[in-house]
Amino acid sequence: MPLAVSGVDDDASLEVPLRVAKSSANDPELAAQYLASQLLNPYLEGVLFFCSAEYDLSALAAALEAHLGGVKLCGCTTAGELGVDGYSRGSIVAVGFDRRAFALDYRLIHELDAFTLLDAQRITDQLMDHCVRSGVAPLKGHTFAMTLLDGLSACEEQVLLTLTSVLAGIPHFGGSAGDDNRLTGTHVYGEGAFHDQAAVVLMVNTELDFEVFSTHHLRPREEKLVVTAADRERRKVFELNAEPAALEYARLVGCPVEALGPEVFARHPLAVKLHDQTYVRAIQGVNPDLSLNFYCAVETGIVMTAMQGTDLLEDLTREIDTIVERLGPAECILGCDCFLRRLEIEQAGLQPAARELYRRQRILGFNTYGEHCNGLHLNQTFSGVFIGRSRRDL
């Protein structure tokens, strides 16, 4: 059963569980019109979208509500979009879910720093109840959750930990919204508008086989850096090995402080080790006082390990192939791909190879400022859900 891609407009396209549309139109009205022309059908359950922060977000919200407001609609801004034709910028990618194969619902969290366990339980109960009432498939073993969070909120760890404690084993993935590497404002979309300091929790119930997964291509080196002074709340490290953080990091990677930037951070990541697993703590930027800002939580006393990359696309291909062996070919892979991975691919000139991989494996999603997987906030990973093809006609 094939994935319906934008430009397909026949009766057969109504028999697929997922429809995809992408628009590169700069005008929000034209972009929304095109998405609606490709996605709207009698069986549409809901739409998930990922859009460039270059759009006039107020105008885009109004246009989306005008043309798609009759269905459940949620999404976020990005640091780049992923479509079946590979990486893009300045575009909007959307996925439509067929109610004959999917039940879905979402809730918007308005104040991340005030999100409590009671809030999480209430939201989760509401989403589960919708899935049960829809009758698409049993709840257990047929449900996953996706989170979209303001990527500059510094609240991911708190929110994800709180949510995971009430999800009752439901697998979960997601990503932190981006803003095309400007680091000025990231947004999620729900309830008809874009919001900052907010999050979307989407729950999906389906008869299709699926698997939530996360992978990265980074391997540890011998060099270690101890965080000797940090501000945990602001994710800022002042000292590494009792030296100004930016100076010590620059010494490690062999370049002057003035040359530090996203391209260097992508090639020379740092990670912490927990229970024999390494988790990247990506650097966001250098401050005038030679401190470093990070995308994930950091605190005084942790030991960071220098990491080095292997073949990024080979690692992702290998991970997907192992899932294919279990579930068969993908109907779609919804992916949250760290923007630093995109930078690495662009620096290595691997865009054509990445485009072919995404087309072949039907990968859709966005470049993030952080990834989420089963309660963890991650950096420099590809985290997503592999959705298998239907074994019967809808």
Side-chain angles (χ1 to χ4, degrees), residues 103-116:
L104 63 84
D105 201 2
Y106 79 88
R107 290 294 183 273
L108 182 68
I109 303 171
H110 289 277
E111 298 180 13
L112 298 183
D113 55 0
F115 187 60
T116 67

Side-chain angles (χ1 to χ4, degrees), residues 91-375:
S91 67
I92 179 168
V93 174
V95 184
F97 296 80
D98 191 302
R99 69 168 61 100
R100 292 168 292 180
F102 296 94
L104 63 84
D105 201 2
Y106 79 88
R107 290 294 183 273
L108 182 68
I109 303 171
H110 289 277
E111 298 180 13
L112 298 183
D113 55 0
F115 187 60
T116 67
L117 191 62
L118 288 177
D119 295 328
Q121 189 66 66
R122 173 180 51 81
I123 286 173
T124 302
D125 287 346
Q126 291 171 351
L127 295 175
M128 287 181 176
D129 182 62
H130 173 79
C131 291
V132 170
R133 286 187 289 105
S134 296
V136 170
L139 190 67
K140 186 176 182 179
H142 295 272
T143 306
F144 63 86
M146 181 180 188
T147 45
L148 303 171
L149 284 95
D150 177 345
L152 297 177
S153 67
C155 291
E156 288 97 334
E157 286 83 8
Q158 170 197 337
V159 172
L160 296 178
L161 180 62
T162 305
L163 272 174
T164 301
S165 66
V166 301
L167 278 175
I170 291 175
H172 150 254
F173 80 102
S176 299
D179 66 346
D180 297 305
N181 304 352
R182 294 182 299 203
L183 302 179
T184 56
T186 59
H187 297 78
V188 300
Y189 181 94
E191 299 179 357
F194 286 93
H195 308 265
D196 60 6
Q197 293 296 315
V200 164
V201 182
L202 173 70
M203 188 170 286
V204 179
N205 177 252
T206 180
E207 62 173 12
L208 305 183
D209 293 333
F210 67 85
E211 184 170 326
V212 168
F213 69 99
S214 182
T215 187
H216 67 77
H217 65 299
L218 304 169
R219 303 296 179 263
R221 291 165 43 183
E222 294 184 358
E223 298 91 337
K224 307 289 184 183
L225 297 174
V226 180
V227 178
T228 47
D231 182 334
R232 188 179 188 278
E233 296 301 318
R234 293 189 291 166
R235 296 177 175 172
K236 181 177 290 189
V237 172
F238 297 99
E239 292 182 1
L240 292 169
N241 295 343
E243 298 289 341
L247 290 180
E248 187 67 359
Y249 176 77
R251 182 197 61 77
L252 173 73
V253 303
C255 76
V257 171
E258 295 77 16
L260 295 181
E263 292 79 9
V264 175
F265 304 148
R267 295 196 309 272
H268 303 284
L270 303 174
V272 296
K273 189 173 183 179
L274 297 172
H275 308 299
D276 297 324
Q277 296 291 322
T278 53
Y279 300 98
V280 173
R281 293 292 181 260
I283 300 172
Q284 185 183 92
V286 181
N287 300 305
D289 64 358
L290 299 180
S291 62
L292 296 172
N293 284 341
F294 283 74
Y295 282 102
C296 268
V298 290
E299 55 189 277
T300 302
I302 64 171
V303 178
M304 291 191 172
T305 300
M307 305 289 283
Q308 62 184 10
T310 57
D311 190 311
L312 187 156
L313 296 180
E314 182 180 307
D315 171 81
L316 181 56
T317 298
R318 183 168 54 249
E319 180 72 19
I320 293 172
D321 286 347
T322 63
I323 302 176
V324 171
E325 290 177 4
R326 293 189 290 272
L327 303 187
E331 179 69 40
C332 172
I333 297 174
L334 291 177
C336 300
D337 191 23
C338 181
F339 84 100
L340 292 172
R341 291 167 57 92
R342 176 179 183 142
L343 287 180
E344 186 174 342
I345 285 175
E346 292 174 347
Q347 290 176 72
L350 295 175
Q351 297 97 317
R355 184 178 304 112
E356 172 56 24
L357 173 60
Y358 297 156
R359 184 199 62 77
R360 186 174 69 254
Q361 299 292 2
R362 305 175 181 196
I363 295 174
L364 311 164
F366 73 108
N367 293 119
T368 76
Y369 283 173
E371 305 78 62
H372 320 148
C373 189
N374 293 325

